[in-house]
Amino acid sequence: MATDDTTYRWVKDGALGPGRMRYGADYNPEQWPREVWDEDVRLMREAGVNVVSLGIFSWALLEPRPGEWDFGWLDDVMGLLHENGIDVDLATATASPPPWLAKRHPEILPVTIDGTTLWPGSRQHWRPTSPVFREYALRLTRALAERYADHPALVAWHISNELGCHNLYDFSDDAARAFRVWLQDRYASLDALNEAWGTAFWSQHYEEWDEILPPRAAPTQRNPGQQLDFERFSSDAVRDHLRAENAVLAEVTPDVPRTTNFMVAQNVRDIDYASWLYDVDFVSNDHYLRPGELGRDDLSFWANLTGNLAGGRPWFLMEHATSAVNWRAVNPPKRPGELVRDALTHVGHGADAVCYFQWRQSRAGGERYHSGMVPHAGADSRVFRDVVDLGAQLQALAPVTGTRREKARVGLVFDYESWWVSGRDSHPSESPAYDDETLLWYRALLDLGVRVDVVPIAADLHEYEVVIAPMLHVVPAALRDRLTAFVSAGGHLVTTYFSGVVNENDHVWLGGYPGALRDLLGVTVEEFAPMLPGETTALSSGTVVRDWAERISRVEADVEILDTYRDGDLAGAPAVTRRQGGRASGTGSASGSATYVSAAVGREGARALLQRLAADVEALAGDARAADGAVEVIVRADERGRYLFLANRTDDAVTVAASGELIGGAATSDGATTTIEPRGVAVVADGLSVRS
């Protein structure tokens, strides 16, 4: 994770803050006649908008023919926005190439796993490894940077847009050549590559580098090591494009902060954003709410992870939706109160900017049914009234800007490579999914009122008293040693089924599962026992198990059995175990422990186990202000004090004991208690000193 303040010049230099909360949207004036622009800025001022992302999909208008520039319309928009006090996060406009580029150079077009060329007519129809596309994209980037370097509206650069959203996996010949170079850099020799990929299986041994291809469509299962490295390579290839545009901007406009919008929670799961942190000056993220009751916690989970990817520093919510999206099978609108709740939940987890896609809902094109800040119905609408209300609330939250998320005592690990590998083909079961499993443990912690940080695997685990690591499938030796040291130092680890099974090359650790973690946990699993759809079993505690169970065949003498299987073929066998670990050096604190959950116990089972562990692990005791799990407690703080964000997780009003000044949200306070409206968030300045 990033730790150097120079990588967050947004906060350090104040280009986008602190001092006022930033509020706005993607703005696409090129979709509208000139007379609409004046109405746009009038409504922006009414709503409190003070920043927009501009020019994201404008390449075809900025360069209508190769090397011929038309900046006149963009000059007009930049000037109009500046005159009305609205700053610009200016895009490099390289996200979607113009038709003439694909016509002249069809070799820039991506190729799918089965050899299908992806043609123009949508967006992101370019190969991340195409040298031809790179040349044209950098030429445009330089032209924009040179023209607008000193423009007073410019406060940040927006590099491309949602990099890798639709073109992450390209199987073209360009990708094949770049993949080989990447592999040579990683392995140096074919002997090392053959060992890492296990090519002795199915006669896959390589003798020449140019024999190696991307994992294109094949008769049956493709090589797991090849797939994993191609995932790593593809993430790095898109990152390399980010760095190339970044370098041009840094050369021409070194004092203008640069970012790109991550998609930490969206459909691109195969980008390791933790590796991108030093390539941006501040973290930005796009997030779209999952509809239904689950969505509240899902939004919080990914916002929490984004805040911790940013190292606890403020970050930029670049995109979310005012109401419905257009790309799910069914796209319900947001319920009353949800627009403000979603925004303030992100702010609680560290966002100092709240922006939407997009300002004005499109009348044409593929996203015309995606909601905007100004909907098709116009300003006289519930959505726009909520937008104006949120703008006023964000202005009142100016004192929060620049503060950091206060670190929790419990960390929940999220590991991208375990996400990638655990969901692959040819495994014992296709259920459950890694992201669903981590989310259910997060929800169980919130149910108990426990404040938790969702952290990438590279986080310093010693900053936490408890670490929850569900389905930590990929465990290299170095990670095994880190987890062992954490427990030896007095930390409490909880991990679950299908953890520790493979190393960094997707090779199985031998000797029994959970492989790399077997000695730490003190148990040996003889075989997995995944369950067919509709099957269930139960534990002695009454917890119902679906999808996954394991046969623990050996338990060390110092391991406590917390629960057993009650019925079926595993009746009487250990299901949940706990091994006491070391003692924090010189502190006299309680010894650490390592708990293993061999079954898919679900949210209720996870909650029951954590509640049991809380008897001697005080960090799991919960916060009284969480009102028995009805409220999520989020804290931002600096040397001046703390700001509590109390997010109501229910559809009923909730009253909690929270004194202090109520400075925002859908809530009322009598000075001693705060009543939070259904689906509301209360923001309370409690004035207490920051916990050390």
Side-chain angles (χ1 to χ4, degrees):
M1 293 194 308
T3 57
D4 185 349
D5 280 336
T6 61
T7 65
Y8 287 86
R9 292 189 291 120
W10 168 23
V11 177
K12 180 181 177 184
D13 296 343
L16 297 180
R20 61 173 174 162
M21 193 70 65
R22 306 310 295 237
Y23 185 43
D26 286 11
Y27 183 39
N28 301 291
E30 63 271 29
Q31 296 180 14
W32 301 95
R34 176 63 179 82
E35 57 268 20
V36 176
W37 302 359
D38 292 323
E39 181 187 16
D40 283 338
V41 295
R42 180 182 64 79
L43 292 175
M44 286 179 187
R45 294 179 66 174
E46 180 181 343
V49 166
N50 52 35
V51 67
V52 296
S53 294
L54 190 65
I56 291 172
F57 295 110
S58 300
W59 189 344
L61 297 179
L62 293 170
E63 190 180 8
R65 288 164 294 280
E68 296 183 19
W69 307 109
D70 181 3
F71 294 117
W73 68 272
L74 186 56
D75 291 346
D76 290 345
V77 174
M78 293 278 285
L80 180 64
L81 291 166
H82 179 63
E83 290 166 8
N84 284 273
I86 301 165
D87 294 329
V88 173
D89 166 43
L90 185 59
T92 57
T94 57
S96 193
W100 59 257
L101 182 53
K103 177 183 176 182
R104 285 171 172 252
H105 296 286
E107 68 271 23
I108 72 166
L109 299 173
V111 177
T112 66
I113 192 170
D114 63 359
T116 301
T117 296
L118 298 180
W119 295 95
S122 179
R123 66 176 188 174
Q124 285 195 333
H125 45 283
W126 54 276
R127 303 174 184 178
T129 57
S130 167
V132 174
F133 177 81
R134 181 74 57 87
E135 177 185 352
Y136 281 93
L138 296 188
R139 186 175 73 176
L140 173 61
T141 300
R142 182 173 295 277
L144 282 164
E146 290 175 348
R147 186 169 188 89
Y148 297 107
D150 299 318
H151 199 289
L154 178 66
V155 294
W157 285 109
H158 183 117
I159 297 174
S160 191
N161 187 72
E162 292 187 335
L163 282 161
C165 185
H166 305 291
N167 62 344
L168 176 63
Y169 291 125
D170 168 45
F171 297 84
S172 67
D173 290 342
D174 279 338
R177 286 187 287 269
F179 186 37
R180 293 178 195 123
V181 171
W182 186 92
L183 291 169
Q184 290 177 56
D185 184 62
R186 181 176 178 86
Y187 293 109
S189 72
L190 281 167
D191 287 343
L193 180 141
N194 281 311
E195 171 61 25
W197 286 10
T199 57
F201 187 77
W202 280 354
S203 187
Q204 294 175 350
H205 182 85
Y206 295 102
E207 285 291 339
E208 301 289 343
W209 288 102
D210 62 6
E211 295 171 355
I212 299 171
L213 296 170
R216 294 167 174 161
T220 185
Q221 299 99 328
R222 294 164 296 159
N223 183 294
Q226 180 190 23
Q227 290 185 72
L228 177 55
D229 272 340
F230 191 70
E231 288 165 338
R232 290 167 172 154
F233 156 76
S234 297
S235 178
D236 284 352
V238 178
R239 178 192 179 198
D240 188 60
H241 184 86
L242 163 66
R243 299 177 84 176
E245 290 196 24
N246 199 342
V248 172
L249 297 172
E251 175 193 341
V252 180
T253 58
D255 297 326
V256 180
R258 302 171 296 279
T259 192
T260 192
N261 42 341
F262 295 177
M263 296 167 290
V264 173
Q266 301 314 117
N267 58 325
V268 180
R269 72 173 197 170
D270 294 341
I271 292 177
D272 181 3
Y273 286 114
S275 69
W276 288 28
L277 296 176
Y278 287 105
D279 299 314
V280 294
D281 288 324
F282 58 92
V283 167
S284 301
N285 190 50
D286 293 355
H287 183 272
Y288 290 95
L289 178 72
R290 187 189 301 192
E293 188 266 340
L294 177 66
R296 290 191 289 259
D297 296 334
D298 181 77
L299 180 148
S300 174
F301 177 91
W302 297 108
N304 192 321
L305 175 58
T306 303
N308 284 294
L309 285 170
R313 297 171 179 82
W315 51 278
F316 197 122
L317 177 61
M318 189 69 75
E319 282 187 29
H320 68 313
T322 57
S323 190
V325 298
N326 71 308
W327 36 264
R328 293 189 174 99
V330 178
N331 298 287
K334 288 189 176 182
R335 301 173 65 191
E338 288 185 342
L339 182 147
V340 173
R341 180 206 64 194
D342 297 348
L344 295 191
T345 300
H346 281 104
V347 173
H349 284 296
D352 271 8
V354 173
C355 292
Y356 292 92
F357 179 84
Q358 57 181 324
W359 165 250
R360 185 179 286 274
Q361 189 173 9
S362 297
R363 60 181 176 176
E367 293 184 290
R368 63 198 182 282
Y369 294 114
H370 190 296
S371 60
M373 294 178 80
V374 181
H376 289 151
D380 186 13
S381 61
R382 178 178 69 89
V383 166
F384 189 71
R385 285 189 289 273
D386 286 349
V387 162
V388 173
D389 175 52
L390 176 59
Q393 295 205 42
L394 292 176
Q395 288 182 22
L397 293 181
V400 177
T401 59
T403 61
R404 299 189 179 205
R405 294 181 71 261
E406 186 177 279
K407 193 170 292 296
R409 299 166 67 186
V410 177
L412 176 65
V413 170
F414 192 88
D415 177 36
Y416 278 94
E417 292 199 350
S418 289
W419 193 10
W420 302 349
V421 176
S422 64
R424 190 153 307 136
D425 58 8
S426 305
H427 279 188
S429 174
E430 294 182 356
S431 297
Y434 176 83
D435 51 336
D436 289 340
E437 184 71 15
T438 51
L439 177 59
L440 77 82
W441 283 87
Y442 183 73
R443 301 186 79 196
L445 288 160
L446 294 186
D447 291 343
L448 295 173
V450 177
R451 197 158 58 83
V452 55
D453 289 347
V454 183
V455 296
I457 196 64
D460 182 359
L461 302 181
H462 291 281
E463 294 183 336
Y464 298 97
E465 299 171 37
V466 180
V467 167
I468 315 291
M471 269 179 76
L472 191 61
H473 185 67
V474 179
V475 179
L479 177 56
R480 173 200 62 198
D481 295 344
R482 288 176 58 210
L483 293 170
T484 301
F486 169 75
V487 174
S488 296
H492 299 277
L493 172 69
V494 178
T495 190
T496 74
Y497 62 93
F498 213 32
S499 290
V501 176
V502 299
N503 67 7
E504 66 275 16
N505 295 317
D506 201 4
H507 291 195
V508 174
W509 289 98
L510 300 180
Y513 317 119
L517 302 179
R518 190 174 60 248
D519 291 340
L520 173 60
L521 297 165
V523 300
T524 300
V525 172
E526 183 174 313
E527 62 180 346
F528 302 129
M531 303 161 71
L532 295 172
E535 280 190 322
T536 64
T537 188
L539 305 186
S540 297
S541 62
T543 294
V544 176
V545 173
R546 296 178 176 84
D547 296 325
W548 192 284
E550 294 178 350
R551 184 182 301 278
I552 296 179
S553 59
R554 184 179 300 113
V555 178
E556 299 299 330
D558 60 344
V559 173
E560 178 186 5
I561 298 174
L562 301 183
D563 211 343
T564 59
Y565 292 97
R566 189 175 67 190
D567 52 25
D569 293 342
L570 298 180
V576 182
T577 64
R578 188 182 187 207
R579 188 180 208 178
Q580 295 295 118
R583 182 177 298 275
S585 177
T587 67
S589 63
S591 62
S593 65
T595 299
Y596 186 61
V597 184
S598 71
V601 296
R603 176 181 174 186
E604 292 76 15
R607 181 171 58 229
L609 173 62
L610 292 169
Q611 198 163 25
R612 179 174 180 178
L613 295 177
D616 60 1
V617 181
E618 196 269 335
L620 293 173
D623 189 324
R625 292 166 299 195
D628 295 326
V631 173
E632 178 187 2
V633 180
I634 316 167
V635 183
R636 290 183 64 168
D638 62 11
E639 66 280 356
R640 300 167 297 170
R642 305 164 83 229
Y643 298 93
L644 304 181
F645 287 73
L646 306 173
N648 187 348
R649 301 172 68 211
T650 77
D651 291 335
D652 300 310
V654 177
T655 299
V656 298
S659 59
E661 180 187 0
L662 180 66
I663 63 172
T668 57
S669 175
D670 62 9
T673 63
T674 298
T675 299
I676 313 164
E677 294 180 10
R679 301 181 296 279
V681 178
V683 185
V684 178
D686 72 357
L688 301 177
S689 60
V690 179
R691 181 177 68 86
S692 61

